[in-house]
Amino acid sequence: MRTHWRTLLRTLCLSVLVLAPSLAFAATTEALKGFLTQTTTAKGRFAQMVLDKNLKMLQQSTGTMQFSRPGKFRWEYDKPYEQTIVGDGAKLWVYDKDLNQVTERKLDRALGASPAALLAGSNEIDKSYTLTSIGNQEGLDWLEAVPKTKDTAFERIRLGFGKAGLDAMELRDQFGQVTVIRFADIERNPKLASDAFTFVIPKGADVIRE
């Protein structure tokens, strides 16, 4: 089925990066930890681009996201086609409306070192990622998170922080594809609907359990 989880965003730097000093690393690391420790729930909009290893545009999409830490999230894509991804803390569902198809997985196996695990998971990110500051680009301070385990869909994840907090994520998979996500209208710690992370299988949908 069509899925956004295994695709990745725009490649960041085409020029050579100079390693940031330890003070910048500490500041960027604290920005991430601060975002995680001070954000229990969040919601907002996002725009996503997927490029191949040669930086050719493969897809552009937009949608909304919500999460409640730890372990609950909902990503809804509205363009170019509708897809819903829901994690309730125990299971993960991916629903493709056009195909009327649902894929169901155990949440712990499905997440791994994914962006959802990083944003909606625990605060102990140092146990799962090696963190490195890569400096300021386009007005954002960037932090690179490399999963310590190799059995993941993503080779590395980059997070860009601005004055409002987390503004962007860039993810590169094992095949060189890059996914770029830009966030907008992020609300931190809003009250979310009680059924925000409940998924009801649509009538007549084909269900694949993995």
Side-chain angles (χ1 to χ4, degrees):
M1 69 181 294
R2 298 175 299 187
T3 175
H4 294 275
W5 283 105
R6 301 182 187 279
T7 57
L8 310 193
L9 315 171
R10 177 179 63 88
T11 305
L12 256 173
C13 40
L14 299 178
S15 58
V16 178
L17 294 176
V18 178
L19 291 178
S22 58
L23 180 60
F25 168 73
T28 311
T29 303
E30 288 308 310
L32 173 58
K33 292 182 177 180
F35 178 84
L36 296 178
T37 57
Q38 297 170 24
T39 306
T40 303
T41 63
K43 66 178 181 179
R45 297 184 296 108
F46 66 87
Q48 177 172 308
M49 295 186 294
V50 179
L51 294 91
D52 66 16
K53 62 182 179 180
N54 298 314
L55 304 186
K56 179 182 178 181
M57 179 73 72
L58 298 177
Q59 187 181 81
Q60 290 181 288
S61 53
T62 59
T64 60
M65 71 88 179
Q66 303 177 65
F67 70 78
S68 178
R69 306 180 60 247
K72 297 181 180 181
F73 54 89
R74 185 180 196 98
W75 290 64
E76 295 188 275
Y77 292 84
D78 50 42
K79 294 179 180 180
Y81 54 83
E82 296 182 50
Q83 187 179 68
T84 299
I85 301 170
V86 178
D88 68 354
K91 292 184 178 181
L92 178 140
W93 290 270
V94 181
Y95 173 54
D96 189 311
K97 184 175 181 179
D98 290 345
L99 300 178
N100 199 24
Q101 184 180 82
V102 176
T103 299
E104 178 185 313
R105 303 179 178 92
K106 288 185 177 180
L107 189 60
D108 57 351
R109 187 170 71 87
L111 281 182
S114 71
L118 195 153
L119 291 180
S122 70
N123 295 332
E124 298 177 331
I125 57 174
D126 305 82
K127 292 184 177 181
S128 300
Y129 298 89
T130 299
L131 304 175
T132 305
S133 175
I134 55 175
N136 186 285
Q137 296 175 342
E138 299 178 355
L140 298 180
D141 293 319
W142 289 90
L143 182 71
E144 183 171 84
V146 177
K148 291 184 178 181
T149 175
K150 299 301 181 183
D151 187 25
T152 66
F154 297 98
E155 181 180 273
R156 63 176 179 264
I157 301 171
R158 291 175 173 176
L159 302 100
F161 292 88
K163 293 181 179 179
L166 182 64
D167 281 2
M169 295 181 73
E170 300 192 4
L171 309 95
R172 180 180 290 272
D173 69 11
Q174 302 291 347
F175 303 100
Q177 277 194 342
V178 179
T179 302
V180 178
I181 302 173
R182 295 283 178 171
F183 298 102
D185 301 329
I186 295 294
E187 294 182 47
R188 295 172 63 176
N189 300 315
K191 184 176 180 180
L192 303 177
S194 59
D195 62 350
F197 310 108
T198 299
F199 182 78
V200 178
I201 297 175
K203 184 177 181 180
D206 181 26
V207 180
I208 300 172
R209 292 183 170 88
E210 299 180 350

